[in-house]
Amino acid sequence: MAPHAEDSASFANGGVAPSPPKDLFVVNSPNVEYTDAEIKSKYTYRTTAVTKGSDGKYVATPKETKYDFKVDRKVPKVGVLLVGLGGNNGTTVTAGILANRRGLSWATRTGTQTANYFGSVVMGSTIKLGTDEKTGQEINIPFHDLLPMVHPNDMVIGGWDISGLNLAEAMDRAAVLEPTLKQLVHKEMAAIKPLPSIYYPDFIAANQEDRADNLIPGSKACNEHVEHIRKDIRDFKAANNLDKVIVQWTANTERFADLIEGVNDTAENLLKAIETGHEEVSPSTVFAVASILEGAPFINGSPQNTFVPGAIALAEKHDAYIGGDDFKSGQTKMKSALVDFLISAGIKLTSIASYNHLGNNDGKNLSSQRQFRSKEISKSNVVDDMVAANSVLYKEGEHPDHTVVIKYMPAVGDNKRALDEYYAEIFMGGHQTISIFNVCEDSLLASPLIIDLVIVAEMMTRIQWKAQGEDGKYGNFHSVLSILSYMLKVSIHSSPVPSTNSAQAPLTPSGTPVINALAKQRAALTNIFRACVGLEPENDMTLEHKGL
Ligand SMILES: NC(=O)c1ccc[n+]([C@@H]2O[C@H](COP(=O)([O-])OP(=O)(O)OC[C@H]3O[C@@H](n4cnc5c(N)ncnc54)[C@H](O)[C@@H]3O)[C@@H](O)[C@H]2O)c1
Ligand SMILES: O=P([O-])([O-])O[C@@H]1[C@@H](O)[C@H](O)[C@@H](O)[C@H](O)[C@@H]1O
């Protein structure tokens, strides 16, 4: 075993090969072809092109673009490497997968609880396949059955942490899960020790220093850290006989990195900056670069600008997948749904006050102003596109007041209290005030998102497309996986550190529009996957029930 592989933080699933998926449905269409290895579909993408005439009138022209999609049906054996494995999210998601894999049940104060994947859009929600031809009733199927996706029970989990506690000790430190459940997974969790990681103190709060006892030797310079992390990824893949590895950052929120020309503005400059040990390259960017160079999709679950322009360029150069930023777990997820509802109902939202306090280590790290700033910006986003799309309610540049407050209150632990007030103008000078008190068990809300991000990112590595009718070979989607936006708050900030009111949004290829409305994000995810099996986008016109 490679020197540090024995403390590799993997836990195999008993080496059992992933169970082959049984198909819940088959598409009966001349545009869809099934082979043992692939699903091929011919898809017509219908949009509306709008131009403005000289008279100022819009001209809307229906447009059709034809694509060929190809899906690799073989569900690979997938490993997940979490940066921050020993944290609240890392220990909770690991224990949760263990408990589900073993079908565990445990005693709680209110009775017996059985393992589940609630809160995962892939494992816990359904999509409309169509309507029963005889009864006209909707037929809904589990989201996970739409395409041949990885099952979380089959995932092999590993990762790094600057804290050397094994996962049983770290799970106790996190204080998220019931003691009765912790007892049932204690043995497996104790056998997992996070791989040593890199620690550049200036990027996270000083109050994190006492955890940093599990560090990779050497320095960023001469690519020592990048090469060490790349070897960790290779060793983990080989030791667990994996087909693929997905890397995800669920470590602490870092301060923003300054965007410096000649340092992190291009792929070449970023690689040079790392080689020379430039202090402005963050640990998360080092992990992203290592993952990109190893061809492992990298997802950033925190709000910092991990993907500086040079990192995005490097991903594009290597045709590697990246996604970010910042899991969208509780308060912001609610906000992106509520704001969408209010504004699309023609109600003029004029102010949002978002306060929360929490007592976990994430909150402790965020009690430091520079780390809070990263989070404040990511949480101050999500309304921009919905406001900008409604010129009836809002004049150019007008938007609701929006403030975000986060306080660290150790007593409440992981059970974050989110208090929101939405204030809006309604008919004839009236006002509506919506006040929400939302107790989010933060890690229990974020852990299913970690699973969804892995499943969707991995699925995207098995979907390719080409323009219909052209001989060219199939290719990947753009490196920036904006399809992940349903699970994420904001984008990789490839512009200078933005003001709190500037628009950011889940990562999108440069120059593409930003969508924060939660329903639109879910529709994009669902409809892209539907297109891969030749199905039209979900629409709720139900003309068949309207006399047509
Ligand atoms: N609901 C949620 O929990 C939620 C929602 C959105 C975003 N997030 C983000 O997810 C991240 C993790 O949240 P958490 O509650 O698990 O926090 P946590 O503090 O419990 O866990 C973070 C872990 O990262 C480790 N760490 C820090 N720097 C590291 C490095 N360079 N390499 C490896 N490990 C490192 C820490 O030792 C710690 O164990 C935070 O950035 C948080 O802002 C969490
Ligand atoms: O996703 P969400 O619930 O809006 O936002 C959460 C914040 O409210 C919380 O303060 C922070 O610690 C979490 O990391 C997360 O970002």
Side-chain angles (χ1 to χ4, degrees):
M1 294 270 269
H4 56 277
E6 58 270 18
D7 62 4
S8 93
S10 64
F11 71 88
N13 52 353
V16 175
S19 42
K22 60 190 183 332
D23 291 331
L24 189 63
F25 71 96
V26 64
V27 175
N28 170 29
S29 160
N31 294 322
V32 182
E33 176 199 349
Y34 290 87
T35 66
D36 288 347
E38 294 169 340
I39 302 170
K40 283 186 176 178
S41 67
K42 296 190 174 308
Y43 182 76
T44 300
Y45 176 53
R46 293 183 175 85
T47 53
T48 304
V50 177
T51 53
K52 199 164 189 177
S54 51
D55 56 359
K57 191 183 288 182
Y58 288 123
V59 178
T61 309
K63 192 177 162 200
E64 291 191 349
T65 311
K66 296 183 183 296
Y67 295 110
D68 288 339
F69 287 116
K70 179 174 68 159
V71 176
D72 174 356
R73 302 181 77 181
K74 182 178 184 299
V75 178
K77 189 177 176 192
V78 174
V80 183
L81 281 171
L82 298 177
V83 191
L85 179 65
N88 282 32
N89 288 348
T91 54
T92 303
V93 70
T94 303
I97 289 174
L98 265 175
N100 273 286
R101 178 182 298 142
R102 292 170 49 199
L104 295 181
S105 295
W106 57 96
T108 72
R109 284 177 301 173
T110 54
T112 301
Q113 176 62 48
T114 302
N116 63 50
Y117 283 115
F118 293 175
S120 158
V121 73
V122 173
M123 300 303 294
S125 82
T126 61
I127 59 109
K128 182 175 101 177
L129 181 62
T131 48
D132 184 300
E133 203 150 44
K134 293 194 182 71
T135 66
Q137 293 306 308
E138 274 195 13
I139 303 296
N140 293 290
I141 63 168
F143 191 107
H144 188 258
D145 288 311
L146 183 51
L147 286 174
M149 300 181 216
V150 169
H151 194 291
N153 287 357
D154 298 325
M155 291 178 185
V156 179
I157 310 282
W160 302 265
D161 204 294
I162 56 174
S163 163
L165 295 190
N166 68 49
L167 287 206
E169 295 162 331
M171 180 172 59
D172 286 339
R173 174 178 60 188
V176 172
L177 298 173
E178 295 266 6
T180 44
L181 168 57
K182 290 196 294 181
Q183 263 169 350
L184 292 171
V185 296
H186 184 275
K187 185 161 174 283
E188 297 100 320
M189 294 290 275
I192 302 172
K193 185 176 182 311
L195 291 166
S197 188
I198 56 178
Y199 172 57
Y200 308 156
D202 188 49
F203 279 91
I204 58 177
N207 62 34
Q208 297 298 309
E209 191 173 5
D210 57 359
R211 288 171 87 105
D213 59 10
N214 187 40
L215 305 183
I216 294 172
S219 79
K220 186 186 320 180
C222 308
N223 292 323
E224 282 180 81
H225 284 168
V226 164
E227 290 310 318
H228 188 113
I229 293 165
R230 290 184 66 179
K231 188 175 185 306
D232 286 344
I233 295 171
R234 291 194 300 271
D235 288 351
F236 176 72
K237 189 173 182 180
N240 292 285
N241 190 27
L242 299 170
D243 299 313
K244 276 178 203 167
V245 173
I246 311 275
V247 183
Q248 200 165 148
W249 179 275
T250 182
N252 285 120
T253 294
E254 299 171 332
R255 69 166 173 80
F256 274 93
D258 294 338
L259 302 183
I260 307 169
E261 209 171 312
V263 175
N264 48 29
D265 56 339
T266 68
E268 293 67 31
N269 287 339
L270 179 59
L271 293 174
K272 195 166 62 191
I274 291 173
E275 188 168 10
T276 56
H278 198 286
E279 78 279 357
E280 208 45 29
V281 180
S282 68
S284 62
T285 297
V286 167
F287 269 99
V289 166
S291 303
I292 290 166
L293 295 177
E294 281 304 311
F298 184 89
I299 299 156
N300 175 29
S302 296
Q304 71 276 347
N305 61 339
T306 300
F307 296 116
V308 292
I312 297 176
L314 187 69
E316 291 169 339
K317 180 180 175 185
H318 289 265
D319 203 16
Y321 279 139
I322 58 176
D325 299 312
D326 207 7
F327 306 126
K328 181 162 59 190
S329 53
Q331 192 173 40
T332 302
K333 192 174 226 168
M334 183 77 75
K335 184 181 295 178
S336 58
L338 193 57
V339 168
D340 190 18
F341 142 58
L342 289 169
I343 293 179
S344 55
I347 293 173
K348 184 172 184 178
L349 184 62
T350 53
S351 108
I352 307 170
S354 272
Y355 163 91
N356 74 67
H357 64 263
L358 70 172
N360 57 22
N361 190 59
D362 180 22
K364 183 177 176 186
N365 180 63
L366 292 172
S367 66
S368 160
Q369 178 53 32
R370 294 195 303 174
Q371 285 64 40
F372 165 71
R373 176 86 173 106
S374 298
K375 189 64 79 172
E376 179 186 31
I377 287 173
S378 77
K379 285 175 70 76
S380 301
N381 161 44
V382 312
V383 301
D384 305 321
D385 59 317
M386 292 169 264
V387 168
N390 190 320
S391 57
V392 172
L393 295 176
Y394 300 97
K395 294 192 287 291
E396 181 79 27
E398 184 187 7
H399 45 76
D401 302 336
H402 192 178
T403 190
V404 170
V405 177
I406 300 175
K407 293 296 176 193
Y408 175 51
M409 306 278 278
V412 301
D414 204 71
N415 304 329
K416 174 189 72 201
R417 270 84 170 128
L419 291 85
D420 290 85
E421 183 196 85
Y422 295 82
Y423 188 62
E425 288 178 31
I426 56 178
F427 192 53
M428 305 304 282
H431 286 90
Q432 180 179 13
T433 303
I434 300 169
S435 180
I436 298 175
F437 182 72
N438 178 1
V439 179
C440 314
E441 301 203 43
D442 251 10
S443 302
L444 294 173
L445 286 173
S447 293
L449 302 182
I450 290 175
I451 290 168
D452 287 340
L453 287 162
V454 170
I455 295 174
V456 175
E458 191 285 321
M459 190 67 242
M460 291 304 290
T461 68
R462 285 187 283 129
I463 298 172
Q464 297 198 304
W465 69 277
K466 69 181 177 71
Q468 217 168 95
E470 292 193 9
D471 298 338
K473 67 184 180 55
Y474 284 89
N476 290 335
F477 281 65
H478 187 277
S479 286
V480 169
L481 285 178
S482 52
I483 195 173
L484 300 177
S485 60
Y486 181 81
M487 286 75 79
L488 296 162
K489 291 194 193 75
V490 293
S491 160
I492 289 131
H493 311 284
S494 52
S495 56
V497 174
S499 70
T500 44
N501 289 326
S502 71
Q504 290 106 37
L507 180 62
T508 57
S510 59
T512 59
V514 199
I515 306 292
N516 278 298
L518 196 65
K520 286 185 179 179
Q521 292 174 334
R522 190 181 190 279
L525 172 61
T526 307
N527 291 328
I528 288 172
F529 279 16
R530 289 173 67 92
C532 292
V533 287
L535 292 177
E536 289 299 308
E538 264 183 19
N539 81 57
D540 297 305
M541 295 165 68
T542 62
L543 295 179
E544 63 275 18
H545 297 313
K546 292 179 173 67
L548 281 75

